[in-house]
Amino acid sequence: MPQPTNRVFSGVQPTGNLHLGNYLGAIKNFAALQHTHECIYCVVDLHAVTVELVQPQLKAQTREIAAAYLAAGIDPERNIIFNQSQVREHSELAWLFNCVARMGWLSRMTQFKDKAGKDAEQASVGLFAYPSLMAADILVYRATHVPVGDDQKQHLELTRDIAAKFNHDFAARIRELGHGESYFPVTEPIIEGAATRVMSLRDGTRKMSKSEPSDLSRINLTDSADDISKKIRKAKTDPEPLPEDSKELGDRPEAKNLVGIYASLADVTVEEVIAEHGGKQFGAFKPVLAELAVERLSPINREMRKLLDDPGHVDSVLNSGAARAREIASVTIKEVRDIFGFLG
Ligand code: TYM
């Protein structure tokens, strides 16, 4: 199959508490890219079981991510929306990539170290091999671009390393089988916008995260307008007014975070936010930010609730997406099996 030149792949884990960071850092960009690229968006349920083995809410949370994709405006006809475990080719390629990737590469992954914590001996092998599965997700579609938040940068570098080693080690077979000079693309990350790393509303030095115990630290996509306003009102800030120059945000993590969130929600630059709101006290800025957040997030929230009231519809989107994804992935697996030299 010819190498695609304009194909986007990305995914979100169905681990609950989908938040503003996921939306501004990833899903909002997913929706924008559908106008210029061929897009494949996945609910990565196989990744979700690497930390918590028993996940009673897995089905509901999988539907919730799919509903968020749809509510954010991703068109399931033009693009492919599906859940990872329905397309077994991801797992097969992940195994082969476990044999391409080196222990040293995976040992350097900071996300593994963060998630495994102090007791790495007790972490699952799946958590360690997580980045190989992520590389397989992307490369089974030979995707050329991957929109993500800043925290996924290292995993995407590993994906590039796996592609490069595969292309190098199998160069003769790849050429012999008529695939040209390389089989997998060296995928480009798309880490763009004012909110590539949205921080906790309670601590501007920590990333907004699904697993943070305090719900006040994040805005969930399922929060009501009142909750959104309350969380922004209670967000930690320093006592100074907003600066008149965006360069002065550098050592003010909470102020920088709120300005970045505003810029991303309003689709303007940080400089434009400062030009309009610089010099204001947080007492004046927070209500404007809350109003904007409610205006932007409420329609998504409403649409998600509507979709989740009709799980049959969400399931049918995922099933037909999986069938279309399988058509592409199965060709890659066939070709990769050939490159490896497996019999049959
Ligand atoms: P996950 O589920 O943790 O997050 C989904 C997306 O949201 C982004 N994100 C953020 N962006 C800005 N600020 C934040 N505070 C924030 N928190 C999360 C993430 O960067 C991500 O883009 N490993 C991935 C899922 C995955 C994947 C893939 C992504 C599996 N296979 C293949 C791309 C391609 C993850 O855990 O995302």
Side-chain angles (χ1 to χ4, degrees), residues 90-102 105-106 129 131-140 158-159 162-163 166 170 183-184 332 336 340:
H90 289 239
S91 304
E92 185 169 350
L93 190 58
W95 174 257
L96 299 175
F97 283 172
N98 281 338
C99 302
V100 176
R102 305 288 99 181
W105 301 357
L106 289 169
S132 286
L133 177 59
M134 188 162 156
D137 297 339
I138 297 164
L139 295 175
V140 85
L158 187 99
T159 300
I162 289 178
F166 179 95
F170 289 110
Y183 184 75
F184 287 121
T332 307
V336 168
F340 266 88

PDB file of all heavy atoms in Angstrom, residues 90-102 105-106 129 131-140 158-159 162-163 166 170 183-184 332 336 340:
ATOM      1  N   HIS A  90      -3.468  -3.736  16.510  1.00  0.00           N
ATOM      2  CA  HIS A  90      -2.651  -2.894  17.409  1.00  0.00           C
ATOM      3  C   HIS A  90      -1.796  -3.776  18.320  1.00  0.00           C
ATOM      4  O   HIS A  90      -0.624  -3.508  18.538  1.00  0.00           O
ATOM      5  CB  HIS A  90      -3.554  -2.016  18.302  1.00  0.00           C
ATOM      6  CG  HIS A  90      -4.256  -0.916  17.569  1.00  0.00           C
ATOM      7  ND1 HIS A  90      -4.097   0.411  17.879  1.00  0.00           N
ATOM      8  CD2 HIS A  90      -5.122  -0.942  16.531  1.00  0.00           C
ATOM      9  CE1 HIS A  90      -4.836   1.149  17.075  1.00  0.00           C
ATOM     10  NE2 HIS A  90      -5.478   0.350  16.245  1.00  0.00           N
ATOM     11  N   SER A  91      -2.437  -4.821  18.867  1.00  0.00           N
ATOM     12  CA  SER A  91      -1.713  -5.682  19.815  1.00  0.00           C
ATOM     13  C   SER A  91      -0.623  -6.474  19.112  1.00  0.00           C
ATOM     14  O   SER A  91       0.459  -6.687  19.662  1.00  0.00           O
ATOM     15  CB  SER A  91      -2.682  -6.659  20.484  1.00  0.00           C
ATOM     16  OG  SER A  91      -3.713  -5.947  21.098  1.00  0.00           O
ATOM     17  N   GLU A  92      -0.931  -6.913  17.895  1.00  0.00           N
ATOM     18  CA  GLU A  92       0.068  -7.715  17.175  1.00  0.00           C
ATOM     19  C   GLU A  92       1.299  -6.869  16.842  1.00  0.00           C
ATOM     20  O   GLU A  92       2.442  -7.291  17.060  1.00  0.00           O
ATOM     21  CB  GLU A  92      -0.547  -8.310  15.892  1.00  0.00           C
ATOM     22  CG  GLU A  92       0.434  -9.245  15.201  1.00  0.00           C
ATOM     23  CD  GLU A  92      -0.197 -10.072  14.082  1.00  0.00           C
ATOM     24  OE1 GLU A  92      -1.442 -10.076  13.945  1.00  0.00           O
ATOM     25  OE2 GLU A  92       0.574 -10.714  13.353  1.00  0.00           O
ATOM     26  N   LEU A  93       1.041  -5.660  16.340  1.00  0.00           N
ATOM     27  CA  LEU A  93       2.187  -4.807  15.998  1.00  0.00           C
ATOM     28  C   LEU A  93       2.943  -4.399  17.268  1.00  0.00           C
ATOM     29  O   LEU A  93       4.176  -4.285  17.260  1.00  0.00           O
ATOM     30  CB  LEU A  93       1.720  -3.568  15.218  1.00  0.00           C
ATOM     31  CG  LEU A  93       2.842  -2.729  14.609  1.00  0.00           C
ATOM     32  CD1 LEU A  93       3.706  -3.548  13.648  1.00  0.00           C
ATOM     33  CD2 LEU A  93       2.293  -1.503  13.889  1.00  0.00           C
ATOM     34  N   ALA A  94       2.197  -4.198  18.374  1.00  0.00           N
ATOM     35  CA  ALA A  94       2.863  -3.823  19.636  1.00  0.00           C
ATOM     36  C   ALA A  94       3.848  -4.915  20.050  1.00  0.00           C
ATOM     37  O   ALA A  94       4.952  -4.634  20.520  1.00  0.00           O
ATOM     38  CB  ALA A  94       1.838  -3.579  20.734  1.00  0.00           C
ATOM     39  N   TRP A  95       3.449  -6.180  19.885  1.00  0.00           N
ATOM     40  CA  TRP A  95       4.381  -7.259  20.240  1.00  0.00           C
ATOM     41  C   TRP A  95       5.651  -7.194  19.385  1.00  0.00           C
ATOM     42  O   TRP A  95       6.771  -7.272  19.884  1.00  0.00           O
ATOM     43  CB  TRP A  95       3.723  -8.645  20.101  1.00  0.00           C
ATOM     44  CG  TRP A  95       4.770  -9.682  20.337  1.00  0.00           C
ATOM     45  CD1 TRP A  95       5.409 -10.428  19.400  1.00  0.00           C
ATOM     46  CD2 TRP A  95       5.377  -9.994  21.598  1.00  0.00           C
ATOM     47  NE1 TRP A  95       6.390 -11.196  19.989  1.00  0.00           N
ATOM     48  CE2 TRP A  95       6.383 -10.952  21.345  1.00  0.00           C
ATOM     49  CE3 TRP A  95       5.178  -9.553  22.901  1.00  0.00           C
ATOM     50  CZ2 TRP A  95       7.189 -11.479  22.358  1.00  0.00           C
ATOM     51  CZ3 TRP A  95       5.966 -10.072  23.910  1.00  0.00           C
ATOM     52  CH2 TRP A  95       6.958 -11.029  23.631  1.00  0.00           C
ATOM     53  N   LEU A  96       5.436  -6.997  18.079  1.00  0.00           N
ATOM     54  CA  LEU A  96       6.604  -6.935  17.191  1.00  0.00           C
ATOM     55  C   LEU A  96       7.485  -5.735  17.566  1.00  0.00           C
ATOM     56  O   LEU A  96       8.715  -5.839  17.568  1.00  0.00           O
ATOM     57  CB  LEU A  96       6.156  -6.870  15.726  1.00  0.00           C
ATOM     58  CG  LEU A  96       5.346  -8.106  15.275  1.00  0.00           C
ATOM     59  CD1 LEU A  96       4.821  -7.926  13.860  1.00  0.00           C
ATOM     60  CD2 LEU A  96       6.186  -9.381  15.369  1.00  0.00           C
ATOM     61  N   PHE A  97       6.849  -4.619  17.939  1.00  0.00           N
ATOM     62  CA  PHE A  97       7.628  -3.435  18.346  1.00  0.00           C
ATOM     63  C   PHE A  97       8.343  -3.663  19.688  1.00  0.00           C
ATOM     64  O   PHE A  97       9.380  -3.054  19.934  1.00  0.00           O
ATOM     65  CB  PHE A  97       6.741  -2.189  18.412  1.00  0.00           C
ATOM     66  CG  PHE A  97       6.426  -1.603  17.047  1.00  0.00           C
ATOM     67  CD1 PHE A  97       5.507  -0.572  16.923  1.00  0.00           C
ATOM     68  CD2 PHE A  97       7.056  -2.055  15.895  1.00  0.00           C
ATOM     69  CE1 PHE A  97       5.222  -0.009  15.684  1.00  0.00           C
ATOM     70  CE2 PHE A  97       6.770  -1.506  14.642  1.00  0.00           C
ATOM     71  CZ  PHE A  97       5.851  -0.474  14.539  1.00  0.00           C
ATOM     72  N   ASN A  98       7.783  -4.536  20.534  1.00  0.00           N
ATOM     73  CA  ASN A  98       8.520  -4.881  21.764  1.00  0.00           C
ATOM     74  C   ASN A  98       9.859  -5.505  21.420  1.00  0.00           C
ATOM     75  O   ASN A  98      10.809  -5.439  22.200  1.00  0.00           O
ATOM     76  CB  ASN A  98       7.726  -5.871  22.631  1.00  0.00           C
ATOM     77  CG  ASN A  98       6.638  -5.195  23.421  1.00  0.00           C
ATOM     78  OD1 ASN A  98       6.701  -3.990  23.650  1.00  0.00           O
ATOM     79  ND2 ASN A  98       5.636  -5.950  23.840  1.00  0.00           N
ATOM     80  N   CYS A  99       9.904  -6.146  20.265  1.00  0.00           N
ATOM     81  CA  CYS A  99      11.164  -6.778  19.844  1.00  0.00           C
ATOM     82  C   CYS A  99      12.069  -5.792  19.096  1.00  0.00           C
ATOM     83  O   CYS A  99      13.267  -6.044  18.971  1.00  0.00           O
ATOM     84  CB  CYS A  99      10.861  -8.008  18.979  1.00  0.00           C
ATOM     85  SG  CYS A  99       9.837  -9.194  19.871  1.00  0.00           S
ATOM     86  N   VAL A 100      11.494  -4.692  18.621  1.00  0.00           N
ATOM     87  CA  VAL A 100      12.306  -3.660  17.961  1.00  0.00           C
ATOM     88  C   VAL A 100      12.875  -2.701  19.015  1.00  0.00           C
ATOM     89  O   VAL A 100      14.061  -2.367  18.996  1.00  0.00           O
ATOM     90  CB  VAL A 100      11.447  -2.861  16.929  1.00  0.00           C
ATOM     91  CG1 VAL A 100      12.270  -1.713  16.321  1.00  0.00           C
ATOM     92  CG2 VAL A 100      10.900  -3.778  15.829  1.00  0.00           C
ATOM     93  N   ALA A 101      12.005  -2.286  19.953  1.00  0.00           N
ATOM     94  CA  ALA A 101      12.417  -1.301  20.974  1.00  0.00           C
ATOM     95  C   ALA A 101      13.451  -1.934  21.902  1.00  0.00           C
ATOM     96  O   ALA A 101      13.481  -3.155  22.080  1.00  0.00           O
ATOM     97  CB  ALA A 101      11.206  -0.841  21.772  1.00  0.00           C
ATOM     98  N   ARG A 102      14.296  -1.119  22.464  1.00  0.00           N
ATOM     99  CA  ARG A 102      15.358  -1.592  23.359  1.00  0.00           C
ATOM    100  C   ARG A 102      14.991  -1.290  24.820  1.00  0.00           C
ATOM    101  O   ARG A 102      14.331  -0.281  25.095  1.00  0.00           O
ATOM    102  CB  ARG A 102      16.689  -0.886  23.024  1.00  0.00           C
ATOM    103  CG  ARG A 102      17.131  -1.022  21.564  1.00  0.00           C
ATOM    104  CD  ARG A 102      17.605  -2.423  21.235  1.00  0.00           C
ATOM    105  NE  ARG A 102      16.600  -3.224  20.568  1.00  0.00           N
ATOM    106  CZ  ARG A 102      16.770  -4.488  20.204  1.00  0.00           C
ATOM    107  NH1 ARG A 102      17.916  -5.105  20.417  1.00  0.00           N
ATOM    108  NH2 ARG A 102      15.798  -5.155  19.612  1.00  0.00           N
ATOM    109  N   TRP A 105      15.749   2.198  25.942  1.00  0.00           N
ATOM    110  CA  TRP A 105      14.852   3.279  25.475  1.00  0.00           C
ATOM    111  C   TRP A 105      13.651   3.391  26.410  1.00  0.00           C
ATOM    112  O   TRP A 105      13.281   4.477  26.830  1.00  0.00           O
ATOM    113  CB  TRP A 105      14.312   3.008  24.075  1.00  0.00           C
ATOM    114  CG  TRP A 105      15.316   2.853  22.983  1.00  0.00           C
ATOM    115  CD1 TRP A 105      16.679   2.987  23.079  1.00  0.00           C
ATOM    116  CD2 TRP A 105      15.035   2.530  21.621  1.00  0.00           C
ATOM    117  NE1 TRP A 105      17.250   2.765  21.860  1.00  0.00           N
ATOM    118  CE2 TRP A 105      16.272   2.485  20.939  1.00  0.00           C
ATOM    119  CE3 TRP A 105      13.870   2.288  20.902  1.00  0.00           C
ATOM    120  CZ2 TRP A 105      16.362   2.208  19.580  1.00  0.00           C
ATOM    121  CZ3 TRP A 105      13.947   2.004  19.548  1.00  0.00           C
ATOM    122  CH2 TRP A 105      15.191   1.954  18.896  1.00  0.00           C
ATOM    123  N   LEU A 106      13.049   2.240  26.693  1.00  0.00           N
ATOM    124  CA  LEU A 106      11.833   2.268  27.512  1.00  0.00           C
ATOM    125  C   LEU A 106      12.153   2.655  28.954  1.00  0.00           C
ATOM    126  O   LEU A 106      11.348   3.303  29.624  1.00  0.00           O
ATOM    127  CB  LEU A 106      11.116   0.916  27.457  1.00  0.00           C
ATOM    128  CG  LEU A 106      10.465   0.624  26.099  1.00  0.00           C
ATOM    129  CD1 LEU A 106      10.008  -0.806  26.001  1.00  0.00           C
ATOM    130  CD2 LEU A 106       9.286   1.536  25.847  1.00  0.00           C
ATOM    131  N   ALA A 129       5.759  -1.497  28.845  1.00  0.00           N
ATOM    132  CA  ALA A 129       5.751  -1.619  27.380  1.00  0.00           C
ATOM    133  C   ALA A 129       4.737  -0.664  26.720  1.00  0.00           C
ATOM    134  O   ALA A 129       4.610  -0.659  25.491  1.00  0.00           O
ATOM    135  CB  ALA A 129       5.423  -3.063  26.990  1.00  0.00           C
ATOM    136  N   PRO A 131       4.688   2.410  25.774  1.00  0.00           N
ATOM    137  CA  PRO A 131       5.060   3.201  24.593  1.00  0.00           C
ATOM    138  C   PRO A 131       5.178   2.377  23.307  1.00  0.00           C
ATOM    139  O   PRO A 131       5.013   2.922  22.218  1.00  0.00           O
ATOM    140  CB  PRO A 131       6.414   3.801  24.970  1.00  0.00           C
ATOM    141  CG  PRO A 131       6.505   3.691  26.456  1.00  0.00           C
ATOM    142  CD  PRO A 131       5.738   2.459  26.813  1.00  0.00           C
ATOM    143  N   SER A 132       5.446   1.075  23.417  1.00  0.00           N
ATOM    144  CA  SER A 132       5.479   0.237  22.204  1.00  0.00           C
ATOM    145  C   SER A 132       4.081   0.116  21.617  1.00  0.00           C
ATOM    146  O   SER A 132       3.898   0.126  20.397  1.00  0.00           O
ATOM    147  CB  SER A 132       5.910  -1.200  22.522  1.00  0.00           C
ATOM    148  OG  SER A 132       7.247  -1.286  22.773  1.00  0.00           O
ATOM    149  N   LEU A 133       3.097  -0.014  22.516  1.00  0.00           N
ATOM    150  CA  LEU A 133       1.705  -0.087  22.042  1.00  0.00           C
ATOM    151  C   LEU A 133       1.304   1.245  21.412  1.00  0.00           C
ATOM    152  O   LEU A 133       0.626   1.280  20.387  1.00  0.00           O
ATOM    153  CB  LEU A 133       0.772  -0.459  23.209  1.00  0.00           C
ATOM    154  CG  LEU A 133      -0.726  -0.499  22.904  1.00  0.00           C
ATOM    155  CD1 LEU A 133      -1.058  -1.495  21.784  1.00  0.00           C
ATOM    156  CD2 LEU A 133      -1.537  -0.863  24.169  1.00  0.00           C
ATOM    157  N   MET A 134       1.759   2.316  22.018  1.00  0.00           N
ATOM    158  CA  MET A 134       1.433   3.637  21.462  1.00  0.00           C
ATOM    159  C   MET A 134       2.057   3.797  20.065  1.00  0.00           C
ATOM    160  O   MET A 134       1.414   4.312  19.137  1.00  0.00           O
ATOM    161  CB  MET A 134       1.951   4.705  22.437  1.00  0.00           C
ATOM    162  CG  MET A 134       1.522   6.073  22.073  1.00  0.00           C
ATOM    163  SD  MET A 134       1.702   7.194  23.484  1.00  0.00           S
ATOM    164  CE  MET A 134       1.848   8.718  22.572  1.00  0.00           C
ATOM    165  N   ALA A 135       3.290   3.347  19.910  1.00  0.00           N
ATOM    166  CA  ALA A 135       3.932   3.401  18.584  1.00  0.00           C
ATOM    167  C   ALA A 135       3.146   2.550  17.591  1.00  0.00           C
ATOM    168  O   ALA A 135       2.948   2.937  16.432  1.00  0.00           O
ATOM    169  CB  ALA A 135       5.377   2.908  18.691  1.00  0.00           C
ATOM    170  N   ALA A 136       2.658   1.395  18.069  1.00  0.00           N
ATOM    171  CA  ALA A 136       1.875   0.518  17.184  1.00  0.00           C
ATOM    172  C   ALA A 136       0.561   1.192  16.779  1.00  0.00           C
ATOM    173  O   ALA A 136       0.138   1.098  15.624  1.00  0.00           O
ATOM    174  CB  ALA A 136       1.597  -0.814  17.885  1.00  0.00           C
ATOM    175  N   ASP A 137      -0.077   1.883  17.729  1.00  0.00           N
ATOM    176  CA  ASP A 137      -1.330   2.594  17.412  1.00  0.00           C
ATOM    177  C   ASP A 137      -1.130   3.515  16.212  1.00  0.00           C
ATOM    178  O   ASP A 137      -1.949   3.586  15.296  1.00  0.00           O
ATOM    179  CB  ASP A 137      -1.761   3.500  18.585  1.00  0.00           C
ATOM    180  CG  ASP A 137      -2.070   2.750  19.857  1.00  0.00           C
ATOM    181  OD1 ASP A 137      -2.354   1.540  19.783  1.00  0.00           O
ATOM    182  OD2 ASP A 137      -2.019   3.391  20.940  1.00  0.00           O
ATOM    183  N   ILE A 138      -0.035   4.236  16.284  1.00  0.00           N
ATOM    184  CA  ILE A 138       0.229   5.270  15.269  1.00  0.00           C
ATOM    185  C   ILE A 138       0.669   4.624  13.953  1.00  0.00           C
ATOM    186  O   ILE A 138       0.159   4.927  12.870  1.00  0.00           O
ATOM    187  CB  ILE A 138       1.338   6.224  15.785  1.00  0.00           C
ATOM    188  CG1 ILE A 138       0.851   6.942  17.048  1.00  0.00           C
ATOM    189  CG2 ILE A 138       1.783   7.199  14.702  1.00  0.00           C
ATOM    190  CD1 ILE A 138       1.973   7.606  17.860  1.00  0.00           C
ATOM    191  N   LEU A 139       1.612   3.684  14.076  1.00  0.00           N
ATOM    192  CA  LEU A 139       2.274   3.192  12.861  1.00  0.00           C
ATOM    193  C   LEU A 139       1.478   2.106  12.151  1.00  0.00           C
ATOM    194  O   LEU A 139       1.715   1.855  10.964  1.00  0.00           O
ATOM    195  CB  LEU A 139       3.694   2.732  13.198  1.00  0.00           C
ATOM    196  CG  LEU A 139       4.614   3.882  13.661  1.00  0.00           C
ATOM    197  CD1 LEU A 139       5.976   3.358  14.097  1.00  0.00           C
ATOM    198  CD2 LEU A 139       4.774   4.942  12.561  1.00  0.00           C
ATOM    199  N   VAL A 140       0.511   1.502  12.827  1.00  0.00           N
ATOM    200  CA  VAL A 140      -0.310   0.504  12.130  1.00  0.00           C
ATOM    201  C   VAL A 140      -1.154   1.204  11.041  1.00  0.00           C
ATOM    202  O   VAL A 140      -1.603   0.570  10.085  1.00  0.00           O
ATOM    203  CB  VAL A 140      -1.171  -0.321  13.134  1.00  0.00           C
ATOM    204  CG1 VAL A 140      -2.477   0.359  13.491  1.00  0.00           C
ATOM    205  CG2 VAL A 140      -1.439  -1.738  12.604  1.00  0.00           C
ATOM    206  N   LEU A 158      10.023   8.233  20.967  1.00  0.00           N
ATOM    207  CA  LEU A 158      10.257   6.785  20.962  1.00  0.00           C
ATOM    208  C   LEU A 158       9.607   6.139  19.729  1.00  0.00           C
ATOM    209  O   LEU A 158      10.178   5.233  19.104  1.00  0.00           O
ATOM    210  CB  LEU A 158       9.703   6.152  22.245  1.00  0.00           C
ATOM    211  CG  LEU A 158      10.090   4.690  22.339  1.00  0.00           C
ATOM    212  CD1 LEU A 158      11.293   4.539  23.260  1.00  0.00           C
ATOM    213  CD2 LEU A 158       8.972   3.833  22.841  1.00  0.00           C
ATOM    214  N   THR A 159       8.430   6.623  19.373  1.00  0.00           N
ATOM    215  CA  THR A 159       7.757   6.114  18.159  1.00  0.00           C
ATOM    216  C   THR A 159       8.650   6.335  16.937  1.00  0.00           C
ATOM    217  O   THR A 159       8.789   5.449  16.083  1.00  0.00           O
ATOM    218  CB  THR A 159       6.401   6.845  17.974  1.00  0.00           C
ATOM    219  OG1 THR A 159       5.593   6.600  19.122  1.00  0.00           O
ATOM    220  CG2 THR A 159       5.670   6.394  16.722  1.00  0.00           C
ATOM    221  N   ILE A 162      11.511   3.846  17.037  1.00  0.00           N
ATOM    222  CA  ILE A 162      11.087   2.493  16.637  1.00  0.00           C
ATOM    223  C   ILE A 162      10.956   2.427  15.111  1.00  0.00           C
ATOM    224  O   ILE A 162      11.448   1.487  14.477  1.00  0.00           O
ATOM    225  CB  ILE A 162       9.760   2.108  17.335  1.00  0.00           C
ATOM    226  CG1 ILE A 162      10.014   1.860  18.834  1.00  0.00           C
ATOM    227  CG2 ILE A 162       9.112   0.888  16.668  1.00  0.00           C
ATOM    228  CD1 ILE A 162       8.770   1.525  19.650  1.00  0.00           C
ATOM    229  N   ALA A 163      10.312   3.457  14.528  1.00  0.00           N
ATOM    230  CA  ALA A 163      10.156   3.466  13.063  1.00  0.00           C
ATOM    231  C   ALA A 163      11.524   3.462  12.382  1.00  0.00           C
ATOM    232  O   ALA A 163      11.758   2.708  11.431  1.00  0.00           O
ATOM    233  CB  ALA A 163       9.338   4.700  12.636  1.00  0.00           C
ATOM    234  N   PHE A 166      13.289   0.031  12.752  1.00  0.00           N
ATOM    235  CA  PHE A 166      12.627  -0.943  11.886  1.00  0.00           C
ATOM    236  C   PHE A 166      13.063  -0.708  10.429  1.00  0.00           C
ATOM    237  O   PHE A 166      13.480  -1.644   9.729  1.00  0.00           O
ATOM    238  CB  PHE A 166      11.097  -0.814  12.029  1.00  0.00           C
ATOM    239  CG  PHE A 166      10.314  -1.756  11.165  1.00  0.00           C
ATOM    240  CD1 PHE A 166       9.868  -2.974  11.671  1.00  0.00           C
ATOM    241  CD2 PHE A 166      10.025  -1.449   9.837  1.00  0.00           C
ATOM    242  CE1 PHE A 166       9.142  -3.860  10.873  1.00  0.00           C
ATOM    243  CE2 PHE A 166       9.314  -2.330   9.034  1.00  0.00           C
ATOM    244  CZ  PHE A 166       8.868  -3.541   9.552  1.00  0.00           C
ATOM    245  N   PHE A 170      15.445  -3.569   8.668  1.00  0.00           N
ATOM    246  CA  PHE A 170      14.805  -4.356   7.604  1.00  0.00           C
ATOM    247  C   PHE A 170      14.972  -3.709   6.216  1.00  0.00           C
ATOM    248  O   PHE A 170      14.227  -4.040   5.292  1.00  0.00           O
ATOM    249  CB  PHE A 170      13.313  -4.539   7.898  1.00  0.00           C
ATOM    250  CG  PHE A 170      13.031  -5.481   9.042  1.00  0.00           C
ATOM    251  CD1 PHE A 170      12.538  -5.008  10.249  1.00  0.00           C
ATOM    252  CD2 PHE A 170      13.256  -6.846   8.918  1.00  0.00           C
ATOM    253  CE1 PHE A 170      12.271  -5.878  11.305  1.00  0.00           C
ATOM    254  CE2 PHE A 170      12.991  -7.726   9.968  1.00  0.00           C
ATOM    255  CZ  PHE A 170      12.506  -7.240  11.167  1.00  0.00           C
ATOM    256  N   TYR A 183       9.659   1.859   5.287  1.00  0.00           N
ATOM    257  CA  TYR A 183       8.266   1.409   5.363  1.00  0.00           C
ATOM    258  C   TYR A 183       7.430   2.324   6.260  1.00  0.00           C
ATOM    259  O   TYR A 183       6.361   2.767   5.880  1.00  0.00           O
ATOM    260  CB  TYR A 183       8.199  -0.040   5.861  1.00  0.00           C
ATOM    261  CG  TYR A 183       6.775  -0.548   5.849  1.00  0.00           C
ATOM    262  CD1 TYR A 183       6.158  -0.888   4.644  1.00  0.00           C
ATOM    263  CD2 TYR A 183       6.042  -0.645   7.019  1.00  0.00           C
ATOM    264  CE1 TYR A 183       4.835  -1.309   4.613  1.00  0.00           C
ATOM    265  CE2 TYR A 183       4.720  -1.073   6.998  1.00  0.00           C
ATOM    266  CZ  TYR A 183       4.121  -1.401   5.793  1.00  0.00           C
ATOM    267  OH  TYR A 183       2.821  -1.806   5.760  1.00  0.00           O
ATOM    268  N   PHE A 184       7.938   2.586   7.481  1.00  0.00           N
ATOM    269  CA  PHE A 184       7.169   3.440   8.397  1.00  0.00           C
ATOM    270  C   PHE A 184       7.618   4.885   8.268  1.00  0.00           C
ATOM    271  O   PHE A 184       8.813   5.167   8.116  1.00  0.00           O
ATOM    272  CB  PHE A 184       7.364   2.976   9.851  1.00  0.00           C
ATOM    273  CG  PHE A 184       6.642   1.694  10.165  1.00  0.00           C
ATOM    274  CD1 PHE A 184       7.339   0.578  10.611  1.00  0.00           C
ATOM    275  CD2 PHE A 184       5.261   1.603  10.031  1.00  0.00           C
ATOM    276  CE1 PHE A 184       6.674  -0.603  10.904  1.00  0.00           C
ATOM    277  CE2 PHE A 184       4.586   0.423  10.326  1.00  0.00           C
ATOM    278  CZ  PHE A 184       5.294  -0.688  10.763  1.00  0.00           C
ATOM    279  N   THR A 332      -1.376  -3.283   6.778  1.00  0.00           N
ATOM    280  CA  THR A 332      -0.045  -3.033   7.378  1.00  0.00           C
ATOM    281  C   THR A 332       0.494  -4.312   8.012  1.00  0.00           C
ATOM    282  O   THR A 332       1.664  -4.678   7.810  1.00  0.00           O
ATOM    283  CB  THR A 332      -0.132  -1.925   8.456  1.00  0.00           C
ATOM    284  OG1 THR A 332      -0.744  -0.788   7.876  1.00  0.00           O
ATOM    285  CG2 THR A 332       1.237  -1.560   9.011  1.00  0.00           C
ATOM    286  N   VAL A 336       3.888  -6.148   7.220  1.00  0.00           N
ATOM    287  CA  VAL A 336       4.934  -6.239   8.248  1.00  0.00           C
ATOM    288  C   VAL A 336       5.303  -7.705   8.502  1.00  0.00           C
ATOM    289  O   VAL A 336       6.476  -8.041   8.684  1.00  0.00           O
ATOM    290  CB  VAL A 336       4.481  -5.524   9.551  1.00  0.00           C
ATOM    291  CG1 VAL A 336       5.413  -5.842  10.708  1.00  0.00           C
ATOM    292  CG2 VAL A 336       4.415  -4.024   9.330  1.00  0.00           C
ATOM    293  N   PHE A 340       9.050  -9.202   8.202  1.00  0.00           N
ATOM    294  CA  PHE A 340       9.708 -10.021   9.228  1.00  0.00           C
ATOM    295  C   PHE A 340      10.086 -11.401   8.678  1.00  0.00           C
ATOM    296  O   PHE A 340      11.020 -12.032   9.147  1.00  0.00           O
ATOM    297  CB  PHE A 340       8.773 -10.209  10.433  1.00  0.00           C
ATOM    298  CG  PHE A 340       8.985  -9.211  11.545  1.00  0.00           C
ATOM    299  CD1 PHE A 340       8.325  -7.991  11.541  1.00  0.00           C
ATOM    300  CD2 PHE A 340       9.842  -9.492  12.606  1.00  0.00           C
ATOM    301  CE1 PHE A 340       8.507  -7.079  12.566  1.00  0.00           C
ATOM    302  CE2 PHE A 340      10.031  -8.577  13.639  1.00  0.00           C
ATOM    303  CZ  PHE A 340       9.366  -7.366  13.615  1.00  0.00           C
TER     304      PHE A 340
END
